[in-house]
Amino acid sequence: TGTLDPFATGLLILLTGKGTKRSNEFLKLDKWYEATIRLGATSTTGDIEGEIRNASDSVIPNFADVQQVIKEFVGEIEQRVPQYSAVKINGQRAYKLAREGKTVEMPTRKVQIYQLDLVDYNWPELKIRCHVSSGTYIRTLGEDIGEKLGVGGYLTALRRTQVGDYKVEDAVKLDDFMRKNGVE
């Protein structure tokens, strides 16, 4: 149910057989993530897979500034859907259009950031943990935090740790599942 960015790790719920009828139910569940944001640069994709551009010389934000900016993102916010996303634009996946070099106007949507914790900050690396509504783009959140700090930012790591009540530590690893079910 849903997708994970190619560089991301963590929990992905898989449904089979008649269980696939419940797909929308799982898609709408809240999600929890851990992310690492590289400040002081931007990426064309919002993550390590894009073309990286170092920001011009800017003032390095201090810990208090970072804490304050993070607090500003808690609650209902409006996000622009990233060009490199699975959202369909005129029947085609946005990431496919972006890879073809086509620029399209991406929609915005309201999302809910229930909790956003600063886990660690050691310039230029910022680690966060967040609990968000379905439809929230953590890559966009990382970019927005970097922009608000005035230094730019992109994700270097992303891990989904929970979907609804389902936690990554309780999940079956894909390799184990495949082996158990005779799929090589």
Side-chain angles (χ1 to χ4, degrees), residues 106-154:
M106 297 303 292
T108 59
R109 61 169 61 149
K110 289 185 188 285
V111 296
Q112 187 74 33
I113 310 289
Y114 301 108
Q115 184 175 341
L116 182 55
D117 299 321
L118 189 153
V119 175
D120 189 37
Y121 173 55
N122 187 7
W123 175 264
E125 203 166 86
L126 169 61
K127 293 183 182 181
I128 60 171
R129 185 178 310 114
C130 53
H131 170 199
V132 300
S133 66
S134 175
T136 304
Y137 288 93
I138 308 304
R139 280 182 293 138
T140 301
L141 180 61
E143 290 177 309
D144 291 346
I145 289 170
E147 184 178 320
K148 187 83 171 176
L149 287 166
V151 296
Y154 66 93

Side-chain angles (χ1 to χ4, degrees), residues 30-42:
D30 291 351
K31 295 170 181 68
W32 285 254
Y33 293 92
E34 294 171 352
T36 303
I37 305 165
R38 175 116 185 151
L39 298 172
T42 60

Side-chain angles (χ1 to χ4, degrees), residues 7-142:
F7 79 103
T9 63
L11 186 63
L12 185 62
I13 295 176
L14 303 177
L15 302 173
T16 61
K18 292 180 182 178
T20 58
K21 292 177 183 174
R22 296 180 59 200
S23 178
N24 279 341
E25 173 186 330
F26 291 98
L27 283 171
K28 301 291 183 211
L29 295 174
D30 291 351
K31 295 170 181 68
W32 285 254
Y33 293 92
E34 294 171 352
T36 303
I37 305 165
R38 175 116 185 151
L39 298 172
T42 60
S43 165
T44 54
T45 59
D47 61 37
I48 57 174
E49 297 196 335
E51 180 183 323
I52 308 300
R53 295 184 215 115
N54 288 322
S56 59
D57 292 333
S58 51
V59 177
I60 295 172
N62 63 40
F63 190 83
D65 292 338
V66 172
Q67 277 185 314
Q68 181 56 44
V69 163
I70 283 177
K71 286 179 188 174
E72 294 175 23
F73 285 93
V74 176
E76 185 178 77
I77 64 168
E78 193 158 311
Q79 275 194 331
R80 180 160 306 281
V81 175
Q83 295 255 345
Y84 287 87
S85 67
V87 166
K88 286 191 176 181
I89 305 291
N90 298 324
Q92 289 198 307
R93 299 284 183 192
Y95 64 78
K96 185 174 189 253
L97 296 170
R99 287 186 183 127
E100 292 172 357
K102 296 176 181 170
T103 304
V104 294
E105 182 64 28
M106 297 303 292
T108 59
R109 61 169 61 149
K110 289 185 188 285
V111 296
Q112 187 74 33
I113 310 289
Y114 301 108
Q115 184 175 341
L116 182 55
D117 299 321
L118 189 153
V119 175
D120 189 37
Y121 173 55
N122 187 7
W123 175 264
E125 203 166 86
L126 169 61
K127 293 183 182 181
I128 60 171
R129 185 178 310 114
C130 53
H131 170 199
V132 300
S133 66
S134 175
T136 304
Y137 288 93
I138 308 304
R139 280 182 293 138
T140 301
L141 180 61

